[in-house]
Amino acid sequence: QGLRALTGLVASLGLIVFFVAPAILEGRSPTGVAFIGALAVMFVTIPLAHGIGPKTLAACLGTAVSLALALGLADLFIELSHLSGITSEEAVYLRATQQGLSLQGLLLAGMVIGALGVLDDLTVSQSSTVMALRRANPSLGFQKLFRSALGVGHDHIAATVNTLVLAYAGASLPILLVFSLAETSLGEALNFEAVAESVVGMLVGSIGLIAAVPVTTALAALLALRLEKDQLADAHAGHAH
């Protein structure tokens, strides 16, 4: 199981390095490339780590829907906050050397790929929970199955969102220290693009994660109700505890 997970990790990095980055540099839409690349990473890593079956299918569908939502939210929030994407030396260099490259699109792509890292864990857990509940009590209907699994998801979502926020906060720590030394107020700090980018990234990722719980739970419940007992056992076999 661990070996498959490591193989999936290597494949994910390979897709980002050898597909996503070159495609963006060739002038293709960073948004479209990031979404396709994220889906490719999902279709490689989830089946590798958890096997192929109903649980994986539900998790992939839930992840895809949540990624599409995160993509739309990122596009909306970037436009509303007028983010340019020019907050680092690397961005300045890309702007000077790659005239056709959209830095806003690149910023959006980074948010989508960043959200994927925690999305797949959440969707697999929700799908596995639904399958386990259905296997333990085959008499459960959609409504009870959905509500029971959603109760478990509420506990998981709090920890997962916290993980995402801490990741962004850790990456922004040097900037926060600079503002602290300058005695900059929170309102003033939010007007700086470097801080605003992190806030938008946290919002996009958090809303995508929160939406992933009911979406994946509903999809997994609909699928579980159509499975026989032996198929439910197969759906559990690939789960990593």
Side-chain angles (χ1 to χ4, degrees), residues 30-182:
T31 303
V33 170
F35 186 64
I36 294 172
L39 290 178
V41 168
M42 174 193 73
F43 284 125
V44 169
T45 55
I46 294 181
L48 265 178
H50 305 282
I52 298 175
K55 178 188 67 178
T56 297
L57 175 60
C60 286
L61 289 173
T63 303
V65 172
S66 302
L67 278 176
L69 175 62
L71 184 69
L73 288 173
D75 189 32
L76 175 64
F77 290 167
I78 287 173
E79 287 296 326
L80 290 176
S81 53
H82 304 290
L83 297 179
S84 65
I86 308 174
T87 57
S88 65
E89 294 180 4
E90 293 84 357
V92 173
Y93 174 78
L94 287 172
R95 187 184 188 186
T97 58
Q98 305 291 326
Q99 298 297 328
L101 180 62
S102 168
L103 293 181
Q104 282 187 321
L106 194 62
L107 175 62
L108 189 152
M111 291 181 183
V112 172
I113 293 175
L116 176 64
V118 284
L119 261 179
D120 57 0
D121 173 64
L122 187 64
T123 55
V124 169
S125 296
Q126 280 305 110
S127 181
S128 182
T129 300
V130 170
M131 298 300 170
L133 288 170
R134 174 66 174 168
R135 187 175 57 255
N137 188 356
S139 65
L140 288 176
F142 174 83
Q143 189 173 10
K144 289 186 177 180
L145 189 60
F146 177 80
R147 288 183 177 179
S148 299
L150 199 61
V152 177
H154 287 160
D155 294 332
H156 194 192
I157 189 64
T160 309
V161 169
N162 189 48
T163 300
L164 180 69
V165 171
L166 288 177
Y168 272 101
S172 304
L173 192 57
I175 300 171
L176 296 176
L177 289 176
V178 170
F179 287 139
S180 180
L181 288 172

